[in-house]
């Protein structure tokens, strides 16, 4: 009996579905209840990787970190944290990735769009960012090669893993909701269009590299920062629940984790059917 008992944990560990979550604060969940002991990353134990892992019965290694850029996959964020790539191995079964927002300084761009007074008192961030082309679109173009390199590195380090890229969501409805959220209508549309452009680029490159893409835009439509506290998945400038401003709240993390789990389950089912057909 003692030998059998000793053998169970080893067997369970050997058969575990190993899941590594990588990315930035959109995945980490800063200030969402249930803080991770690693306080440097403002990571929540109720973020979407945790929700997805529970649904999938996976053993999770969550290395998401607020403020992360693609360079932090290979470097030491805050000078002390191990590179996120270090969590990957040949035994990794699933990798989720949310990255790009900090590479293009998306939150900072959104904050620059805030106006305390209605037009014409103040200035439009959309006008500023598009005075000579589209600055944020150019940042996305510049980020794309780094993202593709990251996908290649993830595949090299975790050759047996399914890679799932998770996009960003619908933070703002068409026209925004000034003054509830102090961003002029055209600026709200510009910022959301940039979020959509970034997500579309992530999806395009993910599919080109054989990865699955989870588009959170449709998932979060109707749950933007302008909605009632119980309905929204993102917090606005002044949060109405525990979450960082302009970031997913607990409701959002639950919905996003379920979307990821559904996508992984669907991909697995399709793979089995394809194998049976052959």
């Amino acid at each position: 009996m003692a030998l059998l008992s000793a053998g169970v944990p080893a067997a369970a560990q050997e058969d575990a579905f190993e899941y590594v979550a990588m990315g930035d604060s959109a995945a980490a969940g800063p200030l969402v209840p249930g803080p991770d002991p690693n306080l440097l990353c403002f990571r929540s134990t109720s973020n979407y990787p945790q929700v997805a892992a529970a649904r999938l019965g996976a053993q999770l290694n969550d290395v998401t970190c607020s403020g992360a850029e693609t360079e932090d996959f290979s470097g030491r964020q805050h000078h002390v944290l191990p590179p996120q790539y270090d969590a990957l191995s040949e035994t990794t079964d699933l990798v989720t990735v949310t990255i790009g927002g900090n590479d293009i300084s998306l939150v900072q761009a959104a904050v620059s769009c805030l106006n305390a007074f209605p037009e014409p008192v103040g200035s439009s961030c959309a006008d500023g960012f598009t005075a000579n082309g589209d600055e944020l679109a150019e940042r996305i173009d510049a980020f794309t090669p780094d993202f593709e390199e990251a996908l290649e590195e993830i595949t090299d380090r975790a050759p047996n893993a399914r890679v799932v890229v998770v996009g960003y969501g619908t933070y703002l409805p068409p026209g925004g909701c000034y003054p509830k959220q102090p961003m002029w209508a055209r600026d709200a549309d510009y910022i959301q269009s940039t979020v959509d452009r970034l997500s579309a680029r992530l999806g395009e490159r993910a599919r080109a590299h054989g990865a699955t893409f989870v588009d959170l835009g449709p998932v979060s439509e109707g749950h933007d920062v302008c909605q009632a506290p119980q309905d929204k998945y993102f917090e606005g400038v002044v949060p109405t629940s525990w979450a960082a401003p302009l970031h997913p709240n607990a409701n959002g993390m639950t919905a996003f984790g379920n979307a990821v789990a559904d996508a992984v389950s669907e991909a697995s089912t399709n793979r089995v059917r394809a194998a049976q057909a052959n």
Side-chain angles (χ1 to χ4, degrees):
M1 289 296 294
L3 288 174
L4 288 173
S5 298
V8 170
Q13 185 174 5
E14 182 179 347
D15 295 334
F17 184 77
E18 297 185 22
Y19 167 21
V20 174
M22 303 174 62
D24 59 22
S25 57
L31 302 185
V32 173
D36 186 281
N38 177 2
L39 299 179
L40 285 174
C41 285
F42 288 97
R43 188 164 55 223
S44 171
T45 57
S46 300
N47 59 16
Y48 87 66
Q50 294 282 353
V51 174
R55 274 276 311 275
L56 296 168
Q59 177 180 298
L60 174 64
N61 185 1
D62 186 358
V63 293
T64 61
C65 195
S66 298
E69 301 179 16
T70 47
E71 65 180 15
D72 295 309
F73 286 178
S74 59
R76 286 188 173 274
Q77 192 173 350
H78 303 304
H79 306 290
V80 295
L81 297 174
Q84 294 193 23
Y85 283 142
D86 286 2
L88 303 172
S89 72
E90 292 185 355
T91 62
T92 304
D93 297 296
L94 171 66
V95 182
T96 58
V97 186
T98 298
I99 201 70
N102 295 315
D103 293 78
I104 70 166
S105 299
L106 186 56
V107 170
Q108 293 90 328
V111 169
S112 76
C113 295
L114 302 180
N115 275 292
F117 299 101
E119 295 195 67
V121 181
S123 60
S124 165
C125 68
D127 289 350
F129 283 122
T130 60
N132 298 292
D134 187 332
E135 182 180 339
L136 296 189
E138 291 171 1
R139 292 182 192 177
I140 293 173
D141 290 342
F143 154 73
T144 301
D146 294 334
F147 177 62
E148 293 195 278
E149 184 178 330
L151 290 177
E152 293 171 0
E153 186 68 19
I154 290 169
T155 301
D156 288 344
R157 289 176 179 248
N160 300 309
R162 173 171 292 117
V163 179
V164 178
V165 175
V166 183
Y168 295 86
T170 303
Y171 292 76
L172 293 155
C177 55
Y178 192 91
K180 184 176 182 179
Q181 297 297 328
M183 190 179 293
W184 296 346
R186 56 189 169 127
D187 292 341
D189 289 344
Y190 173 71
I191 287 297
Q192 186 58 52
S193 70
T194 299
V195 174
D196 294 341
R197 182 190 294 268
L198 174 59
S199 287
R201 184 64 55 84
L202 293 173
E204 170 193 295
R205 302 326 304 157
R207 287 185 286 267
H209 284 262
T212 299
F213 179 66
V214 178
D215 186 359
L216 296 184
V219 175
S220 53
E221 189 172 354
H223 298 279
D224 52 75
V225 300
C226 295
Q227 305 309 312
Q230 68 272 17
D231 297 326
K232 60 186 177 181
Y233 289 171
F234 300 99
E235 293 303 320
V237 178
V238 179
T240 56
S241 68
W242 281 103
L246 308 180
H247 281 76
N249 57 26
N251 288 338
M253 286 301 188
T254 298
F256 303 157
N258 284 327
V260 169
D262 288 343
V264 172
S265 298
E266 182 180 355
S268 297
T269 299
N270 291 340
R271 179 174 292 185
V272 170
R273 287 175 178 171
Q276 291 173 341
N278 293 330

